[in-house]
Amino acid sequence: IATDLGNTVVFGAMASGGSLHVFTKEQISHIEYMHGYFAKHSIDCLKIVPSHWKALKLDEEELLPNKLLIFGGEALSPGRLKEWKEKYPDTRLINMYGITETTVHVTYKEITDEAIKNNISNIGKPIPTLSCYVLDQNQNLLPVGSSGELYVGGLGVARGYLNRKELTSQRFIMNPYNKQEKLYRSGDKVRLLENGELEYVGRIDDQVKIRGYRIELGEIESALSQIEGIKQCL
């Protein structure tokens, strides 16, 4: 209950006086069940990973939330929402970027017609309790338009990884621009736009996300290389 969904969905619904719809792992992966449930129940807000939303085909018919559709967990391509937005203009589209180590949400962006037209993975601006820095490899601030690593500071930043001092020292550093706080190195490459919003560019390492889960490709390669008969893997 204290992980990503607990903070963003469970407490969000309860704090706003809403009714929370809870599904099992099997139900949330079952297309027919989800379509039937949406047809019978009035859902105002849905937060979902883009690939999961697409796989469930919830963009078909009128099986969608009445007020808010919130995407998170992986990069979003707004251009793919053009036809859907034209069909359902009253449902607000929100793109949220977040990291577990920063107590989930970092930035917020309402997807407009302009964002859909430009088709860039715009993740918006930091929420009020957090700050974002776009830094180069020497942790210098980068100007508008340049791509660099996203560092996150503020109230949501965790203290580190349990019993992993070396990894904690690599990822959690003192803020060179504010000695009173720590920054978390996200490993994500972003670009600062002229309006102060951030565009998600990709990873600076080989980490990927599959259905919202982080996958370290190096760990898979290491495991494969231990199998007898395998000389090299990628």
Side-chain angles (χ1 to χ4, degrees):
I1 228 170
T3 55
D4 293 22
L5 287 178
N7 282 286
T8 61
V9 178
V10 177
F11 296 121
M14 296 174 71
S16 62
S19 298
L20 188 65
H21 297 256
V22 181
F23 302 95
T24 66
K25 185 177 181 180
E26 289 74 22
Q27 290 170 341
I28 204 71
S29 304
H30 197 290
I31 294 179
E32 288 78 12
Y33 178 86
M34 293 302 295
H35 278 231
Y37 193 93
F38 268 67
K40 293 178 182 178
H41 299 84
S42 180
I43 307 293
D44 286 325
C45 176
L46 171 67
K47 183 180 183 237
I48 196 168
V49 175
S51 57
H52 188 194
W53 180 71
K54 192 67 177 175
L56 288 176
K57 300 181 180 179
L58 293 179
D59 55 336
E60 296 180 4
E61 304 173 29
E62 293 189 16
L63 304 171
L64 52 113
N66 301 318
K67 297 179 181 178
L68 285 169
L69 177 56
I70 304 173
F71 292 109
E74 63 189 25
L76 174 71
S77 299
R80 298 180 180 179
L81 301 172
K82 184 176 184 296
E83 292 183 8
W84 185 89
K85 181 63 175 175
E86 291 173 350
K87 284 178 67 177
Y88 311 109
D90 295 331
T91 301
R92 294 169 62 196
L93 299 173
I94 308 294
N95 189 24
M96 300 205 74
Y97 165 86
I99 320 165
T100 302
E101 292 87 344
T102 58
T103 319
V104 200
H105 284 155
V106 174
T107 65
Y108 169 98
K109 168 66 179 177
E110 179 154 4
I111 303 169
T112 61
D113 292 337
E114 182 181 1
I116 292 174
K117 180 181 178 181
N118 294 334
N119 193 30
I120 63 172
S121 189
N122 188 328
I123 58 176
K125 296 181 179 180
I127 62 175
T129 56
L130 295 175
S131 55
C132 292
Y133 299 80
V134 184
L135 308 179
D136 64 13
Q137 58 186 3
N138 297 314
Q139 293 168 2
N140 296 314
L141 285 168
L142 287 170
V144 171
S146 296
S147 297
E149 185 174 1
L150 176 63
Y151 288 66
V152 182
L155 297 179
V157 178
R159 288 177 290 178
Y161 297 108
L162 184 64
N163 299 326
R164 301 193 68 180
K165 290 184 178 180
E166 184 177 347
L167 184 59
T168 295
S169 65
Q170 293 173 3
R171 290 292 185 176
F172 295 86
I173 67 166
M174 291 306 300
N175 186 345
Y177 305 99
N178 181 358
K179 300 297 182 180
Q180 305 301 313
E181 69 174 12
K182 283 188 175 182
L183 292 180
Y184 173 71
R185 296 187 60 175
S186 69
D188 287 326
K189 184 184 291 186
V190 298
R191 179 184 294 111
L192 182 63
L193 305 177
E194 291 184 358
N195 61 2
E197 295 179 343
L198 296 166
E199 175 190 354
Y200 180 83
V201 178
R203 292 290 299 177
I204 63 170
D205 54 23
D206 293 326
Q207 187 184 92
V208 297
K209 269 196 171 184
I210 299 177
R211 303 193 195 106
Y213 290 93
R214 298 182 194 179
I215 305 295
E216 294 285 356
L217 297 182
E219 293 181 3
I220 298 176
E221 292 173 356
S222 178
L224 287 172
S225 65
Q226 295 175 32
I227 299 174
E228 186 178 354
I230 292 182
K231 296 180 180 180
Q232 187 177 14
C233 56
L234 180 65

